Amino acid sequence: ALVDDKASEVRLEAAELLAKIGGAEACDAIAKVLRDDKRQEVRLKAANLLANIGGSEARDAIAKALGDDKDCDVRKTALDLLMKIGDAEARSACIKALDTDTDKGVRNAAATCLGKIGGEQARSACIKVLDTDTTWEVRGAAAASLGQ
């Protein structure tokens, strides 16, 4: 109920308290905040709280935000958090962002994240982008990632 409060400060505080409690229900409630809250700063905080909670449910909620959130800063934060998680599912979400995100800054961040996560799939995705992306910044990030 508190995560649905009209005041963003209350929603932020509720999410922080839920993160301290932990568990599946807390993770679900914070994932709902990440998915549905209208305010960017609340969604950013929710993504970070989920990363601190950890686990596959938290990772999946962050990956969903990477694919669905309308704000490029939330998507870049999701990339950074997924890079720190670094598992196969996180890698797949980063590859998808590199291939499909409309924001060059997000694609650039995705290429950088893939360089840090590593693996053959990440490498292949970066090689593909060298030929397919229309922006030099993304191609440059992909090339730099290949050098890591």
Side-chain angles (χ1 to χ4, degrees):
L2 289 176
V3 293
D4 295 322
D5 195 275
K6 289 183 182 182
S8 63
E9 297 84 7
V10 173
R11 295 192 309 272
L12 281 168
E13 186 67 27
E16 288 174 1
L17 290 171
L18 285 168
K20 288 179 183 175
I21 295 168
E25 288 181 23
C27 187
D28 290 344
I30 298 169
K32 181 184 182 307
V33 171
L34 175 58
R35 184 182 61 245
D36 297 338
D37 204 279
K38 291 181 180 10
R39 298 202 44 125
Q40 176 209 46
E41 66 270 16
V42 176
R43 296 192 315 276
L44 288 169
K45 183 66 172 183
N48 280 288
L49 291 170
L50 285 168
N52 290 338
I53 291 172
S56 60
E57 294 86 3
R59 181 210 52 232
D60 292 348
I62 295 167
K64 184 158 179 45
L66 173 59
D68 295 347
D69 202 281
K70 62 188 175 297
D71 186 277
C72 64
D73 289 332
V74 174
R75 296 194 311 271
K76 285 185 218 174
T77 296
L79 277 166
D80 186 52
L81 296 170
L82 289 169
M83 177 188 66
K84 291 174 183 169
I85 294 168
D87 66 7
E89 286 81 6
R91 181 184 305 115
S92 294
C94 293
I95 290 169
K96 184 176 179 185
L98 181 62
D99 286 340
T100 63
D101 202 282
T102 57
D103 183 85
K104 71 179 178 183
V106 174
R107 294 192 315 276
N108 188 331
T112 300
C113 289
L114 288 169
K116 292 180 179 171
I117 292 173
E120 189 53 41
Q121 290 175 323
R123 194 169 165 69
S124 295
C126 287
I127 290 170
K128 176 184 168 192
V129 164
L130 293 175
D131 289 330
T132 61
D133 202 280
T134 58
T135 58
W136 66 267
E137 298 97 335
V138 177
R139 293 191 309 271
S145 290
L146 290 169
Q148 292 184 11

